[in-house]
Amino acid sequence: VAGHEAHHPALQHHFPDLPTQKEAATFGMWVFIAQEVMFFGGLFLTYTIYRALYPEAFAAAAHHLDWKLGAFNTAVLIGSSLTMALAVHAAALGHRKKIVGFLAATIALGGVFLGIKIVEYADKFHHHLVPGPNFRFEGGDARAAQTFYSLYFAMTGLHALHMIIGIPILATIGFFAWRGRYSPGYHTPVELTGLYWHFVDIIWIFLFPLLYLIHG
Amino acid sequence: MSEHEPSAARPAHDAHEGHAGDHVVAVPVYLAVFAALMVLTIATVAASRVDLGPLNTPVALGIAVTKALLVILFFMHVKWSPRIIALVLAGAFVWLFHMIAGTGADYLSRGPVDPRPDQPVAPLGPPPR
């Protein structure tokens, strides 16, 4: 009887085989990522409109961000995308220890990114650049500058939240990899986590020039 | 990378693959993409420090789009994925483009959009230089 045939423990009963299951899971992940584009899209739209309305104020406000920290974090996040890609690669080849090692490196680089972000946020609190009753801005249109910093905290905050959610997922996948759950034939969770992590990297690739490198 | 076939309908059955659904990309490809992303990061910082007039933002966005494509095609394996994946992603970006273009056209072609009682209304149209 078909139901009693030996099959892969990860294969769910409503899929005929692992490749079909993987194709469905991957497609679902991409639909989720498309939804994420729309989720962040609203913030990018708001940024575009307000920057078009107040270009000078946005440039003046952006000069209070440290582009060196932003550039360093960009490099850190690109590095974490590389280690993530190498973790997926190791999973496809069945190198258990390498999966765990590269996932650990990805988590470490993600932690460095968030640590730098904490330093930057603390600096903004210190210099009264956090929108609210204590916001102070001398170099021009303070109200538009406050709009810039509202967008800065909303966009980088939502991005950081995605990383804060992503790191425990990486740790969970790393734990399962260490336990030997994944094989060359089945490691879909590693791949899908990779897609998520790379997407978060892409968001930052746009945030860095739009927030830190406004010319003016 | 000449050994890679254009995306097949079902890469799971691609002859180059040893295992179900995996396209194993050589590690040097990942390292090359990483190097390109780092060079482009330096390029976007360098470009922002040169006054290109109205071109600064388009150049920055062009570099960012290039970097995003590198990540999508290679790190996210879309280059070797079924075309339906690229279609889903393209749909999301077309939607984003329409939202920004449509809303932007509306904001920039109407009258004052952000009247502020305490300050003069910001000028519309091209920003004053």
Coordinates of all heavy atoms in Angstrom, one line a residue, chain A residues 19 22-23 27 30-31 33-34 37-38 41-42 45 49 51 53-56 67 74-75 78-79 81-82 85-86 89 92-93 141 143 184 187 191 195 198-199 202 205-206 208-210 213 215, chain B residues 10 19-22 24-25 27 30 34 37-38 41 44-45 48-51 56-57 64 68 71-72 75-76 78 84-85 88-89 92 95-96 99-100 103-104 107 114 116 119 122 124 127-128:
Chain A
P19 N 10.8 17.0 -4.3 CA 11.0 18.1 -5.2 C 9.7 19.0 -5.4 O 9.8 20.2 -5.4 CB 11.4 17.5 -6.6 CG 12.0 16.2 -6.2 CD 11.3 15.7 -4.9
K22 N 9.3 21.0 -2.2 CA 10.2 22.1 -2.2 C 9.8 23.2 -3.1 O 9.9 24.4 -2.8 CB 11.6 21.5 -2.6 CG 12.6 22.6 -2.6 CD 14.0 22.1 -3.0 CE 15.0 23.2 -3.0 NZ 16.4 22.7 -3.1
E23 N 9.3 22.8 -4.3 CA 8.9 23.8 -5.3 C 7.7 24.7 -4.7 O 7.7 25.9 -4.8 CB 8.4 23.2 -6.6 CG 8.4 24.1 -7.8 CD 8.2 23.3 -9.0 OE1 9.2 22.6 -9.4 OE2 7.1 23.3 -9.6
F27 N 8.1 28.6 -3.8 CA 7.1 29.6 -4.4 C 6.4 30.4 -3.3 O 6.3 31.6 -3.3 CB 6.1 28.8 -5.2 CG 5.1 29.8 -5.9 CD1 5.6 30.5 -7.0 CD2 3.8 29.8 -5.5 CE1 4.7 31.4 -7.6 CE2 2.9 30.7 -6.1 CZ 3.4 31.5 -7.2
W30 N 8.7 33.1 -1.9 CA 8.8 34.2 -2.8 C 7.5 35.1 -2.8 O 7.6 36.3 -3.0 CB 9.1 33.7 -4.3 CG 10.6 33.5 -4.4 CD1 11.2 32.3 -4.4 CD2 11.6 34.5 -4.6 NE1 12.6 32.5 -4.6 CE2 12.8 33.8 -4.7 CE3 11.6 35.9 -4.6 CZ2 14.1 34.5 -4.8 CZ3 12.8 36.5 -4.8 CH2 14.0 35.8 -4.9
V31 N 6.4 34.5 -2.7 CA 5.2 35.3 -2.6 C 5.2 36.1 -1.3 O 4.8 37.3 -1.2 CB 3.9 34.4 -2.6 CG1 2.6 35.2 -2.2 CG2 3.7 33.8 -4.0
I33 N 8.0 37.2 0.1 CA 9.0 38.3 -0.2 C 8.3 39.4 -1.0 O 8.5 40.6 -0.8 CB 10.2 37.7 -0.9 CG1 11.0 36.9 0.2 CG2 11.1 38.8 -1.5 CD1 12.2 36.1 -0.4
A34 N 7.5 39.0 -2.0 CA 6.7 40.0 -2.8 C 5.9 40.8 -1.9 O 5.8 42.1 -2.0 CB 5.9 39.3 -3.8
V37 N 8.0 43.3 -0.2 CA 8.3 44.5 -1.0 C 7.2 45.5 -0.9 O 7.5 46.7 -0.8 CB 8.5 44.0 -2.5 CG1 8.6 45.3 -3.5 CG2 9.7 43.2 -2.7
M38 N 6.0 45.0 -0.9 CA 4.8 46.0 -0.7 C 4.8 46.6 0.7 O 4.5 47.8 0.9 CB 3.5 45.2 -1.0 CG 3.5 44.6 -2.4 SD 2.0 43.7 -2.6 CE 2.2 43.1 -4.3
G41 N 7.4 49.0 0.7 CA 7.1 49.9 -0.3 C 6.4 51.2 0.1 O 6.7 52.3 -0.3
G42 N 5.5 51.1 1.1 CA 4.8 52.2 1.6 C 5.7 53.2 2.2 O 5.6 54.5 2.0
L45 N 7.7 54.9 -0.6 CA 6.9 55.9 -1.2 C 6.8 57.2 -0.4 O 7.0 58.3 -0.9 CB 5.5 55.4 -1.4 CG 4.4 56.4 -1.8 CD1 4.7 57.0 -3.2 CD2 3.0 55.8 -1.8
I49 N 8.1 61.0 -1.6 CA 7.3 62.2 -1.7 C 7.9 63.3 -0.8 O 8.1 64.5 -1.3 CB 5.9 61.9 -1.2 CG1 5.2 60.8 -2.1 CG2 5.0 63.2 -1.1 CD1 5.0 61.3 -3.5
R51 N 10.9 63.7 0.4 CA 12.2 64.1 -0.1 C 12.0 65.1 -1.3 O 12.8 66.1 -1.4 CB 13.1 63.0 -0.4 CG 14.5 63.5 -0.8 CD 15.6 62.5 -0.9 NE 16.7 63.0 -1.7 CZ 17.6 62.2 -2.2 NH1 17.6 60.9 -1.9 NH2 18.6 62.7 -2.9
L53 N 9.5 67.0 -1.7 CA 9.0 68.2 -1.2 C 10.0 69.1 -0.5 O 10.0 70.3 -0.5 CB 7.8 67.9 -0.3 CG 6.5 67.4 -1.0 CD1 5.4 67.0 0.0 CD2 5.9 68.5 -2.0
Y54 N 10.9 68.4 0.3 CA 11.8 69.1 1.1 C 13.3 68.6 0.9 O 13.9 68.1 1.8 CB 11.5 68.9 2.6 CG 10.0 69.3 2.9 CD1 9.1 68.3 3.2 CD2 9.6 70.6 2.8 CE1 7.8 68.6 3.5 CE2 8.3 70.9 3.1 CZ 7.4 69.9 3.4 OH 6.0 70.2 3.6
P55 N 13.8 68.8 -0.3 CA 15.1 68.3 -0.6 C 16.2 68.9 0.3 O 17.1 68.1 0.7 CB 15.3 68.6 -2.1 CG 14.4 69.8 -2.4 CD 13.2 69.6 -1.4
E56 N 16.2 70.2 0.5 CA 17.3 70.8 1.3 C 17.3 70.3 2.7 O 18.3 70.0 3.3 CB 17.2 72.3 1.3 CG 17.7 73.0 0.0 CD 16.7 72.9 -1.1 OE1 15.5 72.6 -0.8 OE2 17.0 73.2 -2.3
W67 N 28.0 58.5 7.8 CA 28.0 57.6 6.6 C 29.1 56.5 6.7 O 29.0 55.4 6.1 CB 28.3 58.4 5.3 CG 29.7 59.0 5.2 CD1 30.0 60.3 5.5 CD2 30.8 58.4 4.7 NE1 31.4 60.4 5.3 CE2 31.9 59.3 4.8 CE3 31.1 57.1 4.1 CZ2 33.2 59.0 4.4 CZ3 32.4 56.8 3.7 CH2 33.4 57.8 3.8
T74 N 26.9 48.3 5.8 CA 26.6 47.8 4.5 C 27.5 46.6 4.2 O 27.1 45.5 3.8 CB 26.7 48.8 3.4 OG1 25.9 50.0 3.8 CG2 26.3 48.3 2.1
A75 N 28.8 46.8 4.5 CA 29.8 45.8 4.2 C 29.5 44.5 5.1 O 29.6 43.4 4.7 CB 31.2 46.3 4.5
I78 N 26.5 42.7 3.7 CA 26.8 42.0 2.5 C 27.7 40.7 2.8 O 27.5 39.6 2.3 CB 27.6 42.9 1.5 CG1 26.6 43.9 0.9 CG2 28.2 42.1 0.4 CD1 27.3 45.0 0.1
G79 N 28.6 40.9 3.8 CA 29.3 39.7 4.3 C 28.4 38.6 4.9 O 28.7 37.5 4.6
S81 N 25.4 38.1 4.0 CA 24.7 37.4 2.8 C 25.6 36.4 2.2 O 25.2 35.3 1.8 CB 24.3 38.5 1.8 OG 22.9 38.8 1.9
L82 N 26.9 36.7 2.2 CA 27.9 35.7 1.6 C 27.9 34.5 2.5 O 27.8 33.4 2.0 CB 29.3 36.4 1.5 CG 30.4 35.4 1.1 CD1 30.2 34.9 -0.4 CD2 31.8 36.0 1.2
A85 N 24.8 32.5 1.9 CA 24.9 31.8 0.7 C 25.8 30.5 0.8 O 25.5 29.5 0.3 CB 25.4 32.7 -0.5
L86 N 26.9 30.7 1.5 CA 27.8 29.6 1.7 C 27.2 28.5 2.6 O 27.5 27.3 2.5 CB 29.1 30.1 2.3 CG 29.9 30.9 1.3 CD1 31.2 31.5 2.0 CD2 30.3 30.2 0.0
H89 N 25.0 26.6 0.4 CA 25.8 25.8 -0.4 C 26.3 24.5 0.3 O 26.3 23.4 -0.2 CB 27.0 26.6 -0.9 CG 28.0 25.9 -1.8 ND1 29.2 25.4 -1.4 CD2 27.9 25.7 -3.1 CE1 29.8 24.9 -2.4 NE2 29.0 25.0 -3.5
A92 N 23.6 22.0 0.5 CA 23.3 21.3 -0.7 C 24.3 20.2 -0.9 O 24.1 19.2 -1.6 CB 23.4 22.3 -1.9
L93 N 25.5 20.4 -0.3 CA 26.6 19.4 -0.4 C 26.6 18.4 0.8 O 27.4 17.4 0.8 CB 27.9 20.0 -0.5 CG 28.1 20.9 -1.8 CD1 29.5 21.5 -1.8 CD2 28.0 20.0 -3.1
D141 N 15.0 73.8 8.1 CA 13.6 73.5 8.4 C 13.5 72.3 9.4 O 13.7 71.2 9.0 CB 13.0 73.2 7.1 CG 11.5 73.0 7.2 OD1 11.0 72.8 8.3 OD2 10.8 73.0 6.1
R143 N 11.0 71.2 11.0 CA 9.8 70.3 10.9 C 10.1 69.2 9.8 O 9.8 68.0 10.0 CB 8.6 71.1 10.6 CG 7.3 70.2 10.7 CD 6.1 71.1 10.8 NE 4.9 70.3 10.7 CZ 4.0 70.4 9.7 NH1 4.1 71.3 8.8 NH2 2.9 69.6 9.7
P184 N 21.6 16.6 1.5 CA 21.6 17.2 0.2 C 20.2 17.0 -0.4 O 19.8 17.9 -1.2 CB 22.6 16.3 -0.6 CG 23.6 15.9 0.5 CD 22.8 15.7 1.7
H187 N 16.9 20.2 2.5 CA 17.4 21.3 3.3 C 16.7 22.5 2.9 O 17.2 23.6 3.0 CB 18.9 21.5 3.1 CG 19.3 21.7 1.6 ND1 19.5 20.6 0.8 CD2 19.5 22.8 0.9 CE1 19.8 21.1 -0.4 NE2 19.8 22.4 -0.3
E191 N 17.5 26.9 2.8 CA 17.4 27.8 1.6 C 16.4 28.9 1.8 O 16.6 30.0 1.4 CB 16.9 26.9 0.4 CG 18.0 25.9 -0.1 CD 17.7 25.4 -1.5 OE1 16.8 25.9 -2.1 OE2 18.3 24.5 -1.9
L195 N 16.8 33.0 1.6 CA 16.0 33.9 0.8 C 15.6 35.1 1.7 O 15.7 36.3 1.3 CB 14.8 33.3 0.2 CG 15.0 32.2 -0.9 CD1 13.7 31.6 -1.4 CD2 15.8 32.8 -2.0
H198 N 18.7 37.3 2.6 CA 19.1 38.1 1.4 C 18.2 39.2 1.1 O 18.6 40.3 0.8 CB 19.3 37.2 0.2 CG 20.3 36.1 0.3 ND1 21.6 36.4 0.7 CD2 20.3 34.8 0.1 CE1 22.3 35.3 0.8 NE2 21.5 34.3 0.4
F199 N 16.9 39.0 1.3 CA 15.9 40.1 1.1 C 16.2 41.2 2.1 O 16.1 42.4 1.7 CB 14.5 39.6 1.3 CG 13.5 40.7 1.2 CD1 13.1 41.3 0.1 CD2 13.0 41.2 2.4 CE1 12.2 42.4 0.0 CE2 12.1 42.3 2.4 CZ 11.7 42.9 1.2
I202 N 18.9 43.2 0.8 CA 18.5 44.1 -0.3 C 17.9 45.4 0.2 O 18.1 46.5 -0.3 CB 17.6 43.4 -1.3 CG1 18.4 42.3 -2.0 CG2 16.9 44.3 -2.2 CD1 17.5 41.4 -2.8
I205 N 20.5 47.7 1.2 CA 21.2 48.2 0.0 C 20.6 49.5 -0.5 O 21.2 50.4 -1.0 CB 21.3 47.1 -1.1 CG1 22.4 46.1 -0.7 CG2 21.6 47.7 -2.4 CD1 22.4 44.8 -1.6
F206 N 19.2 49.6 -0.4 CA 18.5 50.8 -0.8 C 18.5 51.8 0.4 O 18.7 53.0 0.1 CB 17.1 50.5 -1.2 CG 17.1 49.9 -2.6 CD1 17.1 48.5 -2.8 CD2 17.1 50.7 -3.7 CE1 17.0 47.9 -4.0 CE2 17.0 50.1 -5.0 CZ 17.0 48.7 -5.1
F208 N 20.8 52.5 2.7 CA 22.1 53.1 2.9 C 22.2 54.4 2.0 O 22.4 55.5 2.6 CB 23.2 52.1 2.7 CG 24.6 52.8 2.7 CD1 25.0 53.5 3.8 CD2 25.4 52.6 1.6 CE1 26.2 54.2 3.8 CE2 26.7 53.2 1.6 CZ 27.1 54.0 2.7
P209 N 22.2 54.3 0.7 CA 22.3 55.6 -0.1 C 21.2 56.6 0.2 O 21.4 57.8 0.2 CB 22.4 55.1 -1.5 CG 21.7 53.8 -1.5 CD 22.0 53.2 -0.2
L210 N 19.9 56.1 0.3 CA 18.8 57.0 0.5 C 18.8 57.8 1.8 O 18.4 58.9 1.8 CB 17.5 56.2 0.3 CG 17.2 55.7 -1.1 CD1 15.9 54.9 -1.1 CD2 17.1 56.9 -2.1
L213 N 23.5 59.0 2.3 CA 24.3 59.6 1.2 C 23.6 60.7 0.4 O 23.8 60.8 -0.8 CB 24.9 58.5 0.3 CG 25.7 57.5 0.9 CD1 26.2 56.4 -0.1 CD2 27.0 58.1 1.6
H215 N 23.1 63.9 -1.3 CA 24.0 65.0 -1.7 C 23.3 66.3 -1.6 O 22.1 66.5 -2.0 CB 24.5 64.7 -3.1 CG 25.6 65.6 -3.5 ND1 26.9 65.2 -3.2 CD2 25.7 66.9 -4.0 CE1 27.7 66.2 -3.6 NE2 27.0 67.2 -4.1
Chain B
R10 N 11.4 23.2 -14.8 CA 11.5 22.4 -13.5 C 12.9 22.1 -13.2 O 13.5 21.1 -13.6 CB 10.7 21.1 -13.7 CG 9.2 21.2 -13.7 CD 8.6 21.5 -12.3 NE 9.0 20.4 -11.4 CZ 8.1 19.4 -11.1 NH1 7.0 19.3 -11.7 NH2 8.5 18.4 -10.3
H19 N 21.1 16.6 -6.8 CA 20.0 16.4 -5.7 C 18.8 17.1 -6.1 O 18.8 18.0 -6.9 CB 20.6 16.8 -4.4 CG 21.9 16.1 -4.0 ND1 22.0 14.8 -3.7 CD2 23.1 16.6 -4.0 CE1 23.2 14.5 -3.5 NE2 23.9 15.6 -3.7
A20 N 17.7 16.7 -5.4 CA 16.4 17.3 -5.7 C 16.4 18.8 -5.6 O 16.5 19.4 -4.6 CB 15.4 16.7 -4.7
G21 N 16.2 19.4 -6.8 CA 15.9 20.8 -6.8 C 17.1 21.7 -6.5 O 16.9 22.9 -6.5
D22 N 18.3 21.2 -6.3 CA 19.4 22.1 -5.9 C 20.2 22.4 -7.1 O 20.7 21.5 -7.8 CB 20.3 21.5 -4.9 CG 19.5 21.2 -3.6 OD1 18.6 22.0 -3.3 OD2 19.6 20.1 -3.1
V24 N 23.7 23.6 -7.5 CA 24.9 23.8 -6.7 C 25.8 24.8 -7.5 O 26.3 24.4 -8.5 CB 25.7 22.5 -6.3 CG1 26.9 22.8 -5.5 CG2 24.7 21.6 -5.6
V25 N 25.9 26.0 -6.9 CA 26.7 27.0 -7.6 C 28.1 27.0 -7.0 O 28.3 26.7 -5.8 CB 26.1 28.4 -7.3 CG1 26.9 29.5 -8.0 CG2 24.7 28.4 -7.8
V27 N 31.6 27.9 -5.4 CA 31.9 28.9 -4.4 C 32.6 30.2 -5.0 O 32.2 31.3 -4.6 CB 32.8 28.3 -3.3 CG1 33.4 29.4 -2.4 CG2 32.0 27.3 -2.5
Y30 N 30.1 32.9 -5.8 CA 29.6 33.6 -4.6 C 30.7 34.7 -4.2 O 30.3 35.8 -3.8 CB 29.3 32.7 -3.4 CG 28.1 31.8 -3.6 CD1 28.2 30.5 -3.4 CD2 26.9 32.4 -4.0 CE1 27.1 29.6 -3.5 CE2 25.8 31.6 -4.1 CZ 25.9 30.2 -3.9 OH 24.8 29.4 -4.0
F34 N 30.2 38.7 -4.1 CA 30.5 39.4 -2.9 C 31.5 40.6 -3.2 O 31.3 41.7 -2.8 CB 31.1 38.5 -1.8 CG 31.7 39.2 -0.6 CD1 30.9 39.7 0.3 CD2 33.1 39.3 -0.5 CE1 31.4 40.4 1.4 CE2 33.6 40.0 0.6 CZ 32.8 40.5 1.6
L37 N 29.8 43.3 -5.0 CA 28.9 44.1 -4.1 C 29.7 45.1 -3.3 O 29.3 46.2 -3.0 CB 28.1 43.2 -3.2 CG 27.0 42.3 -3.9 CD1 26.5 41.3 -2.9 CD2 25.9 43.2 -4.3
M38 N 30.9 44.7 -2.8 CA 31.8 45.6 -2.0 C 32.3 46.7 -2.9 O 32.3 47.9 -2.5 CB 33.0 44.8 -1.4 CG 32.5 43.7 -0.5 SD 31.6 44.4 1.0 CE 32.9 44.4 2.2
T41 N 29.6 49.1 -3.3 CA 29.3 49.9 -2.1 C 30.3 51.1 -2.1 O 29.9 52.2 -1.8 CB 29.5 49.0 -0.9 OG1 28.5 48.0 -1.0 CG2 29.3 49.8 0.4
T44 N 29.3 53.7 -4.6 CA 28.1 54.5 -4.3 C 28.5 55.6 -3.3 O 28.0 56.8 -3.3 CB 26.9 53.7 -3.7 OG1 25.7 54.5 -3.8 CG2 27.1 53.2 -2.3
V45 N 29.5 55.3 -2.3 CA 30.0 56.3 -1.4 C 30.8 57.3 -2.2 O 30.6 58.6 -2.0 CB 30.9 55.7 -0.3 CG1 31.6 56.7 0.5 CG2 30.0 54.8 0.6
S48 N 28.6 59.7 -4.2 CA 27.9 60.7 -3.4 C 28.7 61.9 -3.0 O 28.2 62.9 -2.6 CB 27.3 60.0 -2.1 OG 28.3 59.8 -1.2
R49 N 30.0 61.7 -3.1 CA 30.9 62.8 -2.7 C 31.3 63.7 -3.8 O 32.1 64.6 -3.7 CB 32.2 62.2 -2.0 CG 31.8 61.3 -0.8 CD 33.0 60.7 -0.1 NE 33.7 61.6 0.7 CZ 33.3 62.0 1.9 NH1 32.1 61.6 2.4 NH2 34.0 62.9 2.6
V50 N 30.8 63.4 -5.0 CA 31.0 64.2 -6.2 C 29.7 64.9 -6.5 O 28.6 64.3 -6.5 CB 31.5 63.4 -7.4 CG1 31.7 64.2 -8.6 CG2 32.7 62.5 -7.0
D51 N 29.7 66.2 -6.8 CA 28.5 66.9 -7.2 C 28.1 66.6 -8.6 O 28.8 67.1 -9.6 CB 28.7 68.4 -7.0 CG 27.4 69.1 -7.1 OD1 26.3 68.5 -7.4 OD2 27.3 70.4 -6.9
N56 N 22.9 62.8 -9.0 CA 23.4 62.1 -7.8 C 22.4 61.0 -7.4 O 22.9 59.8 -7.2 CB 23.6 63.1 -6.6 CG 25.0 63.7 -6.7 OD1 25.2 64.8 -7.0 ND2 26.0 62.9 -6.3
T57 N 21.2 61.3 -7.3 CA 20.2 60.3 -6.8 C 20.0 59.2 -7.8 O 20.0 58.0 -7.5 CB 18.8 61.0 -6.5 OG1 19.1 62.0 -5.5 CG2 17.9 60.0 -5.9
A64 N 22.3 50.9 -6.5 CA 21.6 50.0 -5.6 C 20.8 49.0 -6.4 O 20.7 47.8 -5.9 CB 20.6 50.9 -4.8
A68 N 21.2 45.0 -5.9 CA 20.0 44.1 -5.6 C 19.9 43.0 -6.6 O 19.6 41.9 -6.3 CB 18.7 45.0 -5.6
V71 N 22.3 40.3 -5.9 CA 21.9 39.4 -4.8 C 20.7 38.5 -5.2 O 20.7 37.3 -4.9 CB 21.4 40.3 -3.6 CG1 20.8 39.5 -2.5 CG2 22.6 41.1 -3.0
I72 N 19.8 39.1 -6.0 CA 18.6 38.3 -6.4 C 19.0 37.2 -7.3 O 18.6 36.0 -7.1 CB 17.6 39.2 -7.0 CG1 16.9 40.1 -6.0 CG2 16.5 38.4 -7.8 CD1 16.1 41.3 -6.6
F75 N 22.8 35.2 -5.2 CA 22.7 34.7 -3.8 C 21.3 34.0 -3.6 O 21.1 33.0 -2.9 CB 22.8 35.8 -2.8 CG 24.2 36.2 -2.5 CD1 24.5 37.3 -1.8 CD2 25.3 35.5 -3.1 CE1 25.8 37.7 -1.5 CE2 26.6 35.9 -2.8 CZ 26.9 37.0 -2.0
M76 N 20.3 34.6 -4.3 CA 18.9 34.0 -4.1 C 18.6 33.1 -5.2 O 17.4 32.6 -5.3 CB 17.9 35.2 -4.1 CG 18.1 36.1 -2.9 SD 17.1 37.6 -2.9 CE 15.7 37.0 -1.9
V78 N 17.8 33.1 -8.3 CA 16.8 33.4 -9.3 C 17.2 33.0 -10.7 O 16.5 32.6 -11.6 CB 16.2 34.8 -9.2 CG1 15.3 35.1 -10.3 CG2 15.4 34.9 -7.9
I84 N 8.6 31.4 -13.0 CA 7.5 31.9 -12.2 C 8.0 32.7 -11.0 O 7.4 33.6 -10.5 CB 6.6 30.7 -11.7 CG1 5.3 31.2 -11.1 CG2 7.3 29.8 -10.8 CD1 4.2 31.5 -12.0
I85 N 9.2 32.3 -10.5 CA 9.8 33.1 -9.3 C 10.1 34.5 -9.8 O 9.8 35.5 -9.1 CB 11.0 32.3 -8.8 CG1 10.7 30.9 -8.4 CG2 11.7 33.1 -7.7 CD1 9.8 30.8 -7.2
V88 N 6.9 36.5 -10.1 CA 6.4 37.0 -8.8 C 7.1 38.2 -8.3 O 6.5 39.2 -7.9 CB 6.5 35.9 -7.7 CG1 6.2 36.4 -6.3 CG2 5.5 34.7 -8.0
L89 N 8.4 38.2 -8.4 CA 9.3 39.3 -8.0 C 9.0 40.5 -8.9 O 8.9 41.6 -8.4 CB 10.7 38.9 -8.0 CG 11.6 39.8 -7.1 CD1 11.2 39.8 -5.7 CD2 13.1 39.2 -7.2
A92 N 5.9 42.3 -8.0 CA 6.0 43.1 -6.8 C 6.7 44.5 -7.1 O 6.2 45.5 -6.7 CB 6.8 42.4 -5.7
W95 N 4.4 46.7 -9.2 CA 3.4 47.3 -8.3 C 4.0 48.5 -7.6 O 3.4 49.6 -7.5 CB 2.9 46.2 -7.3 CG 2.0 46.8 -6.3 CD1 0.7 46.9 -6.4 CD2 2.4 47.3 -5.0 NE1 0.2 47.5 -5.2 CE2 1.3 47.7 -4.4 CE3 3.7 47.4 -4.4 CZ2 1.3 48.3 -3.1 CZ3 3.7 48.0 -3.1 CH2 2.5 48.4 -2.5
L96 N 5.2 48.3 -7.1 CA 5.9 49.4 -6.3 C 6.2 50.6 -7.2 O 5.9 51.7 -6.8 CB 7.3 48.8 -5.8 CG 8.1 49.8 -4.9 CD1 7.3 50.1 -3.7 CD2 9.4 49.1 -4.6
M99 N 2.9 52.4 -7.8 CA 2.5 53.2 -6.6 C 3.3 54.5 -6.5 O 2.7 55.5 -6.2 CB 2.6 52.3 -5.4 CG 2.1 52.9 -4.1 SD 2.2 51.9 -2.7 CE 3.9 52.0 -2.3
I100 N 4.6 54.4 -6.6 CA 5.5 55.5 -6.5 C 5.2 56.5 -7.6 O 5.1 57.7 -7.4 CB 6.9 55.1 -6.3 CG1 7.1 54.4 -5.0 CG2 7.8 56.4 -6.4 CD1 8.6 53.9 -4.8
T103 N 1.5 58.0 -7.3 CA 1.3 58.9 -6.2 C 2.2 60.1 -6.3 O 1.8 61.3 -6.0 CB 1.7 58.2 -4.9 OG1 1.0 56.9 -4.9 CG2 1.2 59.0 -3.7
G104 N 3.4 59.9 -6.9 CA 4.4 61.0 -7.1 C 3.8 62.0 -8.1 O 3.9 63.2 -7.8
Y107 N 1.1 64.1 -6.3 CA 1.7 65.1 -5.3 C 2.3 66.2 -6.0 O 2.2 67.4 -5.6 CB 2.7 64.4 -4.4 CG 2.0 64.0 -3.1 CD1 1.4 62.7 -2.9 CD2 2.1 64.8 -2.0 CE1 0.8 62.4 -1.7 CE2 1.5 64.5 -0.8 CZ 0.9 63.2 -0.6 OH 0.3 62.9 0.5
D114 N 1.0 70.3 1.5 CA 1.3 70.1 2.9 C 1.2 71.5 3.6 O 2.2 72.1 4.0 CB 2.7 69.6 3.1 CG 3.0 69.2 4.6 OD1 2.0 69.1 5.3 OD2 4.2 69.1 4.9
R116 N 1.1 74.4 6.0 CA 1.5 74.4 7.4 C 1.2 75.8 7.9 O 1.7 76.8 7.3 CB 3.0 74.1 7.5 CG 3.4 72.9 6.7 CD 4.7 72.3 7.1 NE 5.8 73.3 6.8 CZ 7.1 72.9 6.9 NH1 7.4 71.7 7.2 NH2 8.0 73.8 6.6
Q119 N 4.4 78.0 8.8 CA 5.4 78.3 7.8 C 4.9 78.4 6.4 O 3.8 77.9 6.1 CB 6.5 77.2 7.9 CG 7.3 77.2 9.1 CD 8.3 76.0 9.2 OE1 9.0 75.8 8.2 NE2 8.3 75.3 10.3
A122 N 5.8 74.9 1.0 CA 7.0 74.6 0.2 C 6.7 74.7 -1.2 O 5.6 74.4 -1.7 CB 7.4 73.1 0.6
L124 N 6.4 73.8 -5.1 CA 6.2 72.5 -5.8 C 7.1 72.5 -7.0 O 7.7 73.5 -7.4 CB 4.8 72.3 -6.1 CG 3.9 72.1 -4.8 CD1 2.4 72.1 -5.2 CD2 4.3 70.8 -4.1
P127 N 12.9 71.1 -7.4 CA 13.4 71.8 -6.2 C 14.3 72.9 -6.6 O 15.1 72.8 -7.5 CB 14.2 70.7 -5.5 CG 14.5 69.7 -6.5 CD 13.4 69.7 -7.5
P128 N 14.2 74.1 -5.9 CA 15.1 75.2 -6.2 C 16.5 74.8 -5.9 O 16.8 74.1 -4.9 CB 14.6 76.3 -5.3 CG 13.9 75.6 -4.2 CD 13.3 74.3 -4.8

